[in-house]
Amino acid sequence: SATLVGSLRVGGYDGHIILGVHPDIPQKEESYLTKMGVTMYKVVTAECDPRILDGVAETSNGVRAKCSRGLEDLKLEWGRYEMARRWLRACEGCTGWSMVIDTRDIFFQADPFSGLGDPNVAEHDLLFVEEIAKYTNPKPHEAHRA
């Protein structure tokens, strides 16, 4: 998350950054994120409601086998969107564009919103962008690198 936040700030983005972090985040990292103006929510994992695991094969992929406390009916791979919705709703100053991303393999070279214009007059208010793993995955032969 330090690479993500640092690249956003160096790239000129001065808006809100909201991150879900491990409950035992190292103090050094927490201090850095605080210094960079990041709002952090500590995400505690929990066992999922067994009903949502029916028919799901065993997996070592953490986002497909765990839930978060308070959202035991959504595996992390889906629950993160509900968490993001709640965190954005709690942020009174978050009134423009937003982006929901994984942080482990991303950095920015510029403000990601600079070319989008004013969201209040944009033709489209929801954009989906898909990673094309053939071009961005350094190990395309390894499925589910998570």
Side-chain angles (χ1 to χ4, degrees):
S1 57
T3 301
L4 167 85
V5 171
S7 67
L8 276 168
R9 295 299 189 219
V10 169
Y13 178 72
D14 63 355
H16 297 278
I17 300 174
I18 303 171
L19 292 178
V21 298
H22 192 279
D24 299 323
I25 183 174
Q27 183 58 49
K28 185 175 180 181
E29 188 172 349
E30 187 171 2
S31 295
Y32 172 78
L33 295 175
T34 299
K35 179 179 158 187
M36 291 291 152
V38 174
T39 300
M40 291 170 274
Y41 287 91
K42 294 185 177 182
V43 178
V44 177
T45 58
E47 295 299 317
C48 297
D49 181 324
R51 293 174 295 164
I52 70 167
L53 298 176
D54 285 346
V56 175
E58 289 295 317
T59 179
S60 62
N61 186 325
V63 299
R64 294 192 175 100
K66 288 285 181 190
C67 292
S68 65
R69 187 179 301 156
L71 290 173
E72 290 84 359
D73 58 342
L74 292 171
K75 291 179 279 181
L76 282 175
E77 67 183 327
W78 298 110
R80 61 186 170 176
Y81 299 108
E82 175 57 20
M83 285 183 262
R85 187 190 72 78
R86 291 177 182 184
W87 300 339
L88 284 169
R89 180 164 268 183
C91 176
E92 291 182 18
C94 297
T95 58
W97 296 106
S98 63
M99 180 184 303
V100 178
I101 56 173
D102 291 329
T103 62
R104 66 190 154 89
D105 58 356
I106 191 167
F107 67 93
F108 294 92
Q109 296 177 313
D111 178 343
F113 303 113
S114 64
L116 294 179
D118 183 346
N120 296 312
V121 295
E123 182 178 347
H124 302 287
D125 63 356
L126 181 62
L127 306 171
F128 288 96
V129 179
E130 179 180 14
E131 176 182 16
I132 303 173
K134 177 179 172 183
Y135 301 106
T136 59
N137 182 351
K139 300 176 184 178
H141 57 283
E142 294 182 21
H144 310 297
R145 297 178 300 136

